[in-house]
Amino acid sequence: MAESIVTVFLEKLTDLLSQEAFLLSRVEEQVKLLSSELEWMRLFLKDADAKRRYDPRIKLWVSQIRDVTYEAEDVIDGFMFEMNHQQQGSLKCLKFLKLRFVHKLESRIREINTKIEKIMANKSRYGVETLPAASSSNEVVPQKEKRAPIVEDINVVGIQEDAKSVKQKLLNGEMRRAVVSIVGMGGLGKTTLAKKVYNDNDASNALIYTIRELLLGVAVCVRILSEEERSKMNESELGNRLRDYLTTKKYLIVMDDMWRNEAWDRLGLYFPDSVNGSRVLITSRNKEIGLYADPQTIPHELSFLTEEESWELFLKKIFLAGSANAVCPRELEELGKKIVANCGGLPLAIVVLGGLLSRKEKTPLSWQKVLDSLTWHLNQGPDSCLGVLALSYNDMPYYLKSCFLYCGLFPEDSEIRTDKLILLWVAEGFIQRRGEEIAEDVAEDHLQELVHRSMIQVADRDFDGRVMSCRMHDLLRDLAISEAKDTKFFEGYESIDSRSPVSVRRLTIHQGKKTNSEHLHTSRSLRSIICFSKCFQKNILRSLHRRVKLLTVLDLERMPISSVPEGIGELIHLKYLCLRGTRIKSLPSSIGHLTNLQTLDFGSTLIEIIPSTIWKLHHLRYLNGQGVVSSQSVIDKCRDGPLSVDNLTNLQSLGLRAGSWCCGEGLGKLIELRELTIAWTRIAQTKNHGFSESVKKLTALQSLCLCPALGGDMLTLPHLLPFSDHTCLYHLNLSGRLERFPDEIEFYPPNLISLKLQCWNIIEQDPMVTLEKLPNLRFLGLSLYSSMLKKMVCTSGGFQQLETLDLWSLKELKELIVEEGAMPDLKDLVIGNCPEMKRVSHGLLQRKNLQHLRLYDFSPELIDELSRIEGEDPERIRLATTHGWRHTAS
């Protein structure tokens, strides 16, 4: 980890010398000496980092390097802060202060260089000099590597009998509401088993982690709440509404990783026992929780994998992933079985080790080295699995270690949005330059590499294969937290208080007592505050800029704050500011002083007017102001100047309410833009001159969404020119009244993957005639509210890559015909609010790839038709769903 810390600081130092050459000219010699000494130290750190756990001399030496690097960073950043703070003074005063600060900086750096000399001398004096220098191949970021999406299901081994046993308990014929539990230690595969059972049975999934969110998740699944009710109802109101609804239904609800009996006490109240065979499936590390929830049902206890199962899983992870005939070379078999034996049948340990070895040379020497290190790591009793995980962590290149540890900041069992995670990595400085690639692309490759190494798990993927969200296994998160605390990388607290260490760099605040700003003086070197606790005091920001001057990241998403003080403009090092979902109504004009800001997110707030100074933030890469709660918001207005995006030429992602900024040529200058989301307004209908021409110039776009702002469903969208030049535009979402429905193939981007059209145009011609010709389309969502179509036909050879078809609100549609040879890869078919539909092609249900068919607000004729085709028992069909008819492939 120290290697990563030193590397990140060295790159920062290089950039600073280039950008502030005049300011630092008087101390250039000392700064270059500092850089040179740290470069030498870095060469020895890769091996030292791995060995510090077991050699106190190495641990002390590494910690001294880390601390002196942090100290140097604080000194230089503090100097830049003070210089910026004094800019408001008179020129004479400024000149005097500048000389004083420069002299102080030179003195401090000289002291640091002296410390470094002593640290290097101690390396030899106390016998640490045997550490080899790392090879140059480990010092550079590897070239961009594209990998096929990982299919975790192929690694499932040894749970077939477990799945059969759990399913028997779920389907044993008992009419009472039973609670079936899967119990065992972390890493055994409880969640994997629950997921397999769920996918083999028709059910409603609710893997949510707080009581209210779990209830809300179930309520959303069964579609019993309006958008307004979702945000206003408390836990009790949600629970009562859900209980009333479930009373007449047969249901299966899955809850993952339950820790407390009290949680079941609160949840069980809302899952009624209507004596109709309903089930609740839970997983827990504690057998007693399963017995507490249902004393009549014996919990299913997961056992460790057998030697044969462990070996099979090991081979699948390393050789021929997905193949049933994975074979280990004879010369590696003995070594491989010794490695597997050390895993003790724990699936997580085997998968992680397999991920490590899959990247190694398939030679006895390479595997022997891993085995030797493994024995070293595993010779200390009960924490052997953490030793295995630590081996994989130590084997990571330096640029991945910070990214991995950062995932441990997030709450246990949380699903981490990867778009947010990548922005945080970039802001923290973890992502180094790699040729001409943009930082976000490099970060996405790092994410894929962590997935490939089995250090994080994919929670959800987009249709183009990109990871949308991820999560950490409990044991891996434990490892990250342990390592982070040991290296002062971050600390997690229920609040900021007097116990917070002075030298902590990052602070994550989880659910707990009120956070008091008076305690922030204990963390003057703090660089990041990331909050997940809604107990965060709303007035904490008032003095934040005086107490924590060097902040780089401030994440207050969904915190109960209502204002942002003018003093926030003094946090000149700030690169990431998230205020999404807060109650703030305005941004201070001083925000224009945050010249290093890369991410500004004030979406879903109450902001009505934004300051014109926001357009000075030339380094912005991500700007989100969409989804404001107030229907009176007028983002088109701007305080103290015009609204313009001309200067934000580094933007990668932009999401705003439409306004005058859409006019003219300003938008067309954002040629680096990859994501553009505009909430269309009535004002924009009259102020969109030049909009189409600007969009035409944005050929780097990967995603474009034009949708109505709050209360603007019937708005007319601007005329759009054909997207034939947008070869990178993969996602297109148009919602509103179109000038005319686009029925020419030339209108659509040539490589389109996902298309969502919601329009109020009167449509008489079948759009499938055009859309089925899109060669790369995988998702198609059509909501045609004024359509007059009575029949849709997908002809043979059409939609060759389509995986999901989502049809809504075609009120006159009676028939969907899919000819043989059309949609060969279709997996999901959703049809909703098509009350006149009486027929779906018989061949659809016989498709081997079709996994889910969901119908909502259907006609009685259609359900009779489907029952005859599928040969299902009508009673089972009625009970198998909560809001319509749902078929899941076996």
Side-chain angles (χ1 to χ4, degrees), residues 9-60:
F9 175 63
L10 282 172
E11 181 162 310
K12 180 177 181 178
L13 197 59
T14 300
D15 290 341
L16 192 63
L17 281 171
S18 173
Q19 297 166 10
E20 304 292 345
F22 177 75
L23 194 61
L24 297 174
S25 58
R26 289 176 175 267
V27 293
E28 182 179 7
E29 181 180 347
Q30 288 297 320
V31 172
K32 286 185 175 181
L33 177 60
L34 171 64
S35 177
S36 176
E37 292 289 347
L38 289 176
E39 281 283 7
W40 274 106
M41 283 184 164
R42 187 168 70 95
L43 295 175
F44 294 91
L45 282 174
K46 180 176 176 61
D47 290 299
D49 259 340
K51 296 179 179 178
R52 63 182 168 77
R53 293 171 176 266
Y54 308 98
D55 189 325
R57 298 171 304 166
I58 296 176
K59 183 174 183 178
L60 177 61

Side-chain angles (χ1 to χ4, degrees), residues 789-804:
L789 291 172
K790 297 185 183 299
K791 181 168 70 173
M792 278 185 168
V793 180
C794 304
T795 62
S796 179
F799 292 118
Q800 284 297 293
Q801 295 200 46
L802 195 69
E803 297 177 359
T804 298

Side-chain angles (χ1 to χ4, degrees), residues 71-85:
E71 182 181 359
E73 185 178 29
D74 289 345
V75 167
I76 290 176
D77 284 352
F79 168 76
M80 299 303 298
F81 177 89
E82 294 295 345
M83 292 301 297
N84 180 79
H85 188 63

